Amino acid sequence: MLRYDIKDQLQLRMFTIDDAEALFELTMASEPYLREWLGWLDYIETVDDSKRNIEGRIKGLMETGGYPKSFAILYQGKLAGTIGFNDIDRGIKCGTIGYWLGQNFQGKGIMSQALETLIEYGFRDLGFNKIEIRVATGNRKSQALPERLGFKQEGVLRDAEWLYDRYVDHVVYGLLRAEWTG
């Protein structure tokens, strides 16, 4: 099983079916907080929904030649969130990152370290030339991550995502392999 020990008690590792209950519990515990910026929460109602999500992540291994597209973020042995490549374009060697962290795990530097590790994985192991992150224009916390790590703002996609009762625009950030100093 692919696993990255980042620092202290922080790891990224492949999801397993055994993570379904912890993923569901983390999602539900953080649901009001996550709902502001994540539009898929209405599709998670049971542990089986989280299990199907993980099964889809595992099937994604075929798309990358055996490399996982997404990872569980573990902090002090507990599932804290998830990070991975939501989209991969093999033609232009580009991956688009998505991430979220449970509310109780915010403010500890967890996502910054997880993101740095995933960027390195994308460039080194997946052979990407470019990595993108797309974030809702009002989500300043999530925008701060790519800005801090040297991504360049490339533009805004209008009405890029439906969030329950409204469309939101996305800021597109990009980082080229040649620009990565990590």
Side-chain angles (χ1 to χ4, degrees), residues 133-147:
I133 296 175
R134 298 175 181 194
V135 181
T137 53
N139 190 346
R140 285 300 305 148
K141 278 177 106 172
S142 283
Q143 287 176 11
L145 287 166
E147 290 170 0

Side-chain angles (χ1 to χ4, degrees), residues 63-64 69 84-98 118-119 121-123 126-134 151 154 172-177:
E63 183 180 336
T64 60
K69 287 175 54 175
F85 292 102
N86 292 338
D87 295 304
I88 292 177
D89 185 326
R90 286 273 177 226
I92 61 170
K93 297 181 179 180
C94 180
T96 303
I97 293 176
L118 190 71
I119 292 166
Y121 170 72
F123 287 140
L126 300 181
F128 292 151
N129 180 58
K130 182 179 182 180
I131 293 176
E132 291 183 348
I133 296 175
R134 298 175 181 194
F151 281 70
E154 297 186 343
V172 179
Y173 294 95
L175 181 69
L176 302 177
R177 178 195 309 252

Side-chain angles (χ1 to χ4, degrees), residues 16 45 116 130 158:
T16 69
E45 296 177 346
E116 286 184 49
K130 182 179 182 180
R158 297 178 302 144

Side-chain angles (χ1 to χ4, degrees), residues 103-167:
Q103 186 172 8
N104 293 336
F105 296 96
Q106 299 286 320
K108 300 177 188 320
I110 294 170
M111 192 55 78
S112 293
Q113 293 173 61
L115 182 55
E116 286 184 49
T117 302
L118 190 71
I119 292 166
E120 186 65 32
Y121 170 72
F123 287 140
R124 185 191 62 233
D125 297 334
L126 300 181
F128 292 151
N129 180 58
K130 182 179 182 180
I131 293 176
E132 291 183 348
I133 296 175
R134 298 175 181 194
V135 181
T137 53
N139 190 346
R140 285 300 305 148
K141 278 177 106 172
S142 283
Q143 287 176 11
L145 287 166
E147 290 170 0
R148 192 168 44 248
L149 293 177
F151 281 70
K152 296 192 179 3
Q153 184 175 332
E154 297 186 343
V156 175
L157 299 173
R158 297 178 302 144
D159 287 355
E161 182 180 15
W162 178 254
L163 284 181
Y164 309 104
D165 60 354
R166 71 194 186 289
Y167 284 101

Side-chain angles (χ1 to χ4, degrees), residues 14-61:
M14 288 177 49
F15 273 96
T16 69
I17 297 300
D18 292 340
D19 292 318
E21 189 167 333
L23 180 60
F24 177 74
E25 288 174 5
L26 179 65
T27 303
M28 292 300 100
S30 300
E31 193 265 343
Y33 169 78
L34 296 173
R35 183 169 285 280
E36 183 176 8
W37 299 115
L38 298 177
W40 47 262
L41 290 158
D42 285 347
Y43 302 105
I44 307 296
E45 296 177 346
T46 68
V47 173
D48 283 340
D49 295 327
S50 292
K51 181 180 175 186
R52 280 188 289 283
N53 176 286
I54 291 170
E55 288 170 343
R57 293 169 190 255
I58 293 169
K59 286 180 186 174
L61 288 170

